[in-house]
């Protein structure tokens, strides 16, 4: 809990989204700057985390519903061996959005998380059309108690801007 609280203190919003590429097994990396001009939700998950797996269905519905309005989900698995676990994960859970993997160090940079803090998945970074992270939430945040409603509300508000 202390690491989580410290992470919140160091994850400043608003802030520019880090311009990084997310590796994809056997494919072209996902470049975040490609999505400038869209409302972007970057989701960091773990492939063996129940709530993270449940997030995939929620994010699939959000992508289908809001994609035509200028919304995009991009996800990254942050497991220690994510590059090996991602292909079977994608085959099983079928995300309708691009998905790659990141190291813990990359996740900390992306999420503006302190070097001694551990990220708590899932992590959602809601980014506006100009590439500014407006809201960031961690898996043990009350946001995830009503994840689908909370996610849809933030997306709808950001699409209006």
């Amino acid at each position: 809990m202390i690491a989580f609280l410290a992470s919140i203190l160091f994850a400043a919003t608003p802030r520019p989204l880090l311009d990084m590429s997310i590796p994809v097994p056997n494919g072209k990396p996902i470049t975040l700057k490609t999505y400038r001009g869209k409302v972007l939700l970057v989701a960091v998950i773990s492939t063996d985390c129940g709530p993270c797996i449940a997030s995939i269905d929620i994010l699939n519905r959000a992508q289908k519903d809001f994609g035509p309005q200028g919304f995009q989900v991009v996800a990254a698995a942050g497991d220690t061996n994510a590059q090996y676990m991602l292909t079977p994960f994608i085959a099983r859970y079928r995300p309708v959005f691009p998905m790659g993997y990141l190291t813990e160090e990359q996740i900390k940079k992306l999420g503006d998380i302190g070097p001694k803090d551990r990220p708590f998945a899932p992590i959602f970074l809601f980014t506006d059309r100009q590439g500014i992270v407006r809201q960031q939430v961690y898996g043990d945040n009350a946001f995830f108690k009503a994840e689908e409603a909370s996610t849809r509300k933030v997306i709808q508000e950001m699409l209006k801007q």
Side-chain angles (χ1 to χ4, degrees), residues 36-51:
R36 193 72 50 89
K38 293 187 176 206
V39 170
L40 177 65
L41 190 168
V42 180
V44 179
I45 62 122
S46 172
T47 61
D48 62 358
C49 153

Side-chain angles (χ1 to χ4, degrees), residues 55-108:
S55 292
I56 298 298
D57 286 336
I58 292 167
L59 297 175
N60 276 343
R61 286 191 291 276
Q63 182 62 59
K64 288 177 184 174
D65 292 347
F66 298 114
Q69 298 171 48
F71 170 72
Q72 182 63 54
V73 175
V74 170
D79 308 82
T80 303
N81 293 310
Q83 70 265 32
Y84 306 111
M85 301 165 79
L86 193 56
T87 300
F89 181 87
I90 289 171
R92 182 172 182 185
Y93 296 105
R94 305 210 178 276
V96 297
F97 45 83
M99 189 165 184
Y101 59 90
L102 294 171
T103 65
E104 185 174 337
E105 181 180 322
Q106 291 169 316
I107 292 167
K108 287 180 177 186

Side-chain angles (χ1 to χ4, degrees), residues 27 38 112 120 150:
K38 293 187 176 206
D112 191 32
F120 192 95
S150 299

Side-chain angles (χ1 to χ4, degrees), residues 130-148:
Q130 290 73 44
I132 303 297
V133 178
R134 295 292 173 184
Q135 185 172 346
Q136 181 169 316
V137 290
Y138 299 87
D140 58 353
N141 187 293
F143 176 97
F144 288 99
K145 298 256 188 264
E147 179 179 355
E148 186 152 15

